[in-house]
Amino acid sequence: VALGIRYAVDNGAKIINMSFGKGFSPNKVWVDDAIQYAQSKGVLLIHAAGNDASDNDVVDNFPTPHLNDHTVATNFITVGASGSGRQSSKVANFSNYGRREVDLFAPGVQIYSTVPGGNKYGSASGTSMAAPVVTGVAALVLSYYPDLSAQQLKMVLEKTAVPMQDSMVNKPGTDDKVPFSELSVTGGIVNAYKALKMAD
């Protein structure tokens, strides 16, 4: 993970999609150093929240922006998966969530994309599909406004996430109804149009 981040930064990436995660982090200092290296180079990291229907405020899904030196990386976005259909299922039932640790949501159910094996396509679900949606929106915004810093780009994406006002949704993994606003920092879903308007 650490070497992958460094490789991408050294080869000109300005945004890195991180569709992976785990519940433990051996040699965390190596990954933390790579996150800080990306931050020093102005690179935004966009990480999938995880697919365990768990609360990232309580259970870590590494890597996280919380570094061993007790600082918090400012170039890091964590993405949950929004669903489709009825209002109560607007959050994917598998998605991790967190009022403090998940920044926003993006579509992550039955996303049609490339799959391994050559020129192939298929549908898949997961926060690993939601994070690339946010990454794509970030890349779109940065392509028009290339002077934005990683922190400004993060702010734009978060400030323009569209809340589902007064919406009660199924808490992932349960039938309990909770306000959508309680499942992430922004309580919203990424929105490309609004992000471009704010960047302008």
Side-chain angles (χ1 to χ4, degrees), residues 100-119:
R100 296 187 309 274
E101 299 302 327
V102 174
D103 293 294
L104 47 72
F105 280 76
V109 175
Q110 291 299 297
I111 304 300
Y112 192 68
S113 184
T114 54
V115 296
N119 189 23

Side-chain angles (χ1 to χ4, degrees), residues 178-198:
V178 298
F180 182 69
S181 60
E182 292 184 1
L183 299 179
S184 69
V185 173
T186 64
I189 298 172
V190 71
N191 186 286
Y193 175 70
K194 288 181 180 295
L196 283 167
K197 283 184 69 177
M198 176 171 275

Side-chain angles (χ1 to χ4, degrees), residues 123-141:
S123 295
S125 298
T127 58
S128 286
M129 304 305 287
V133 172
V134 176
T135 303
V137 173
L140 173 67
V141 172

Side-chain angles (χ1 to χ4, degrees), residues 38-189:
Q39 184 170 270
S40 75
K41 299 294 186 179
V43 177
L44 182 64
L45 306 177
I46 300 178
H47 183 234
N51 304 323
D52 303 309
S54 67
D55 186 346
N56 283 9
D57 292 354
V58 178
V59 180
D60 285 322
N61 180 56
F62 294 103
T64 75
H66 300 280
L67 308 179
N68 276 339
D69 65 1
H70 306 293
T71 63
V72 178
T74 60
N75 62 325
F76 202 104
I77 296 175
T78 302
V79 182
S82 59
S84 59
R86 300 183 318 276
Q87 189 69 16
S88 62
S89 64
K90 287 294 184 182
V91 175
N93 61 4
F94 54 78
S95 182
N96 288 5
Y97 55 93
R99 187 67 185 87
R100 296 187 309 274
E101 299 302 327
V102 174
D103 293 294
L104 47 72
F105 280 76
V109 175
Q110 291 299 297
I111 304 300
Y112 192 68
S113 184
T114 54
V115 296
N119 189 23
K120 295 183 180 179
Y121 297 83
S123 295
S125 298
T127 58
S128 286
M129 304 305 287
V133 172
V134 176
T135 303
V137 173
L140 173 67
V141 172
L142 195 63
S143 72
Y144 281 94
Y145 305 98
D147 294 331
L148 290 176
S149 69
Q151 291 76 16
Q152 289 172 323
L153 189 52
K154 174 180 176 172
M155 183 271 292
V156 164
L157 294 173
E158 291 186 347
K159 291 287 188 184
T160 58
V162 176
M164 290 193 284
Q165 297 290 350
D166 304 319
S167 291
M168 300 298 287
V169 298
N170 286 352
K171 186 177 182 179
T174 75
D175 292 325
D176 298 339
K177 296 293 190 290
V178 298
F180 182 69
S181 60
E182 292 184 1
L183 299 179
S184 69
V185 173
T186 64
I189 298 172

